[in-house]
């Protein structure tokens, strides 16, 4: 898929990391609904936020590597701040039973799955939105001087859609609340990356057919049976004797 089409090894590793985060997030969600222990189910629910905090870091790192791929000291400082903020929010969520500053429960035993958002949750939510806005601003800056800069509207639209969806989910809008939050976020991330590739900010190995065909050189590529796979406009038919000679040499 996207990873095999991307030529930059650093971007490939970042995409693999983000894909692994999404897979683990979905796996934890599946396991949560299989366990009978209320405490374990709540702990697994808390673990959702490990992935939810880490995924924006991967997206931001992907945006920093896109375009010219430069990682200046300023970007490194920004990534470091985002990383420590994510660690803080993860620790706050995982220890929520002790302080209930992120989520509040009427009762933990028994716990029926109901909860209320506390002030620290809104700070956490604001952090996620800030990460997405950072990616959008960085996207606009890096795409501004590219030939296809107008295509930046696609990832921006997806970012706005993601922000609107997450805000609707937190606000309790029935359509968003009734959806699968984990899977929806995973799909939106994949679409976002495809849109970035469409902008030309991520180098991909496609378009070679048109480049080959437009070449002024007399070139053609044949398969093992002698069928032409790629052919330039200036190429001439290759006689069997010439092909046999080329294969034997």
């Amino acid at each position: 898929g996207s990873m095999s089409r991307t030529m930059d090894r650093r971007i490939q590793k970042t995409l693999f990391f983000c894909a692994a985060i999404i897979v683990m997030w979905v796996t934890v969600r599946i396991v949560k609904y299989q366990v009978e222990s209320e405490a374990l189910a709540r702990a697994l629910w808390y673990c959702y936020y490990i992935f939810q905090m880490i995924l924006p870091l991967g997206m931001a790192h992907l945006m920093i590597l896109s375009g010219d791929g430069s990682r200046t000291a300023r970007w490194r400082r920004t990534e470091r701040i985002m990383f420590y903020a994510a660690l803080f929010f993860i620790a706050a969520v995982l220890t929520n039973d002790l302080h209930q500053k992120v989520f509040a429960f009427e009762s933990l035993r028994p716990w029926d799955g109901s909860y209320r958002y506390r002030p620290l949750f809104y700070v956490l939510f604001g952090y996620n939105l800030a990460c997405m806005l950072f990616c959008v601003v960085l996207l606009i800056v890096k795409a501004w001087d590219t030939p296809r800069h107008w295509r930046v509207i696609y990832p921006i639209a997806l970012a706005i859609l993601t922000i609107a969806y997450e805000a609707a989910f937190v606000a309790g809008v029935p359509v968003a609340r009734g959806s699968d939050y984990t899977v929806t976020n995973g799909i939106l991330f994949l679409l976002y990356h495809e849109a970035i590739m469409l902008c030309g900010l991520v180098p991909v190995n496609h378009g070679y057919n048109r480049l080959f065909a437009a070449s002024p050189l007399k070139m053609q590529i044949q398969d093992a049976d002698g069928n032409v796979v790629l052919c330039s406009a200036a190429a001439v038919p290759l006689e069997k004797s010439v092909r046999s000679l080329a294969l034997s040499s």
Side-chain angles (χ1 to χ4, degrees), residues 1-136:
S2 298
M3 284 183 286
S4 62
R5 287 185 284 132
T6 305
M7 295 184 290
D8 191 313
R9 293 299 298 274
R10 297 173 303 169
I11 292 179
Q12 284 183 354
K13 290 178 181 178
T14 303
L15 285 173
F16 180 82
F17 172 79
C18 292
I21 289 296
I22 293 172
V23 170
M24 287 188 289
W25 190 357
V26 172
T27 302
V28 169
R29 177 192 175 283
I30 293 172
V31 173
K32 173 186 174 292
Y33 286 101
Q34 305 302 317
V35 300
E36 297 181 359
S37 168
E38 295 173 359
L40 181 56
R42 191 168 62 256
L44 291 172
W45 177 61
Y46 285 157
C47 287
Y48 288 6
Y49 289 86
I50 297 176
F51 311 118
Q52 192 171 338
M53 292 295 100
I54 293 177
L55 192 57
L57 295 179
M59 295 176 67
H61 188 67
L62 176 64
M63 285 310 311
I64 290 172
L65 292 178
S66 63
D68 58 6
S70 60
R71 292 181 68 224
T72 62
R74 180 178 60 180
W75 296 135
R76 291 191 180 94
R77 283 196 301 271
T78 303
E79 285 185 297
R80 198 176 297 118
I81 292 171
M82 293 172 66
F83 175 74
Y84 289 132
L87 285 183
F88 169 76
F89 289 122
I90 289 171
V93 171
L94 294 180
T95 58
N96 184 72
D97 280 5
L98 302 177
H99 51 74
Q100 294 199 30
K101 298 296 185 183
V102 186
F103 307 102
F105 310 103
E106 295 298 331
S107 174
L108 289 178
R109 295 182 181 179
W111 181 55
D112 59 1
S114 61
Y115 59 90
R116 291 181 291 106
Y117 294 125
R118 297 279 289 152
L120 190 54
F121 172 82
Y122 294 104
V123 180
L124 178 155
F125 182 67
Y127 160 81
N128 268 342
L129 294 187
C131 288
M132 295 198 64
L133 290 174
F134 168 75
C135 291
V136 170

Side-chain angles (χ1 to χ4, degrees), residues 117-180:
Y117 294 125
R118 297 279 289 152
L120 190 54
F121 172 82
Y122 294 104
V123 180
L124 178 155
F125 182 67
Y127 160 81
N128 268 342
L129 294 187
C131 288
M132 295 198 64
L133 290 174
F134 168 75
C135 291
V136 170
V137 171
L138 196 56
L139 174 66
I140 295 173
V141 170
K142 292 204 170 194
W144 192 258
D145 295 326
T146 62
R148 293 179 288 180
H149 63 272
W150 60 271
R151 292 187 180 181
V152 74
I153 191 174
Y154 299 133
I156 289 177
L158 281 167
I160 293 173
L161 177 62
T162 302
I163 291 172
Y165 168 74
E166 293 190 354
F169 189 92
V170 171
V173 176
V175 174
R177 202 70 178 182
S179 65
D180 190 315

Side-chain angles (χ1 to χ4, degrees), residues 226-248:
N227 300 312
V228 177
V229 178
L230 286 175
C231 180
S232 67
V236 296
L238 190 64
E239 297 180 0
K240 289 185 178 181
S241 58
V242 177
R243 181 176 182 273
S244 299
L245 181 62
L247 291 174
S248 62

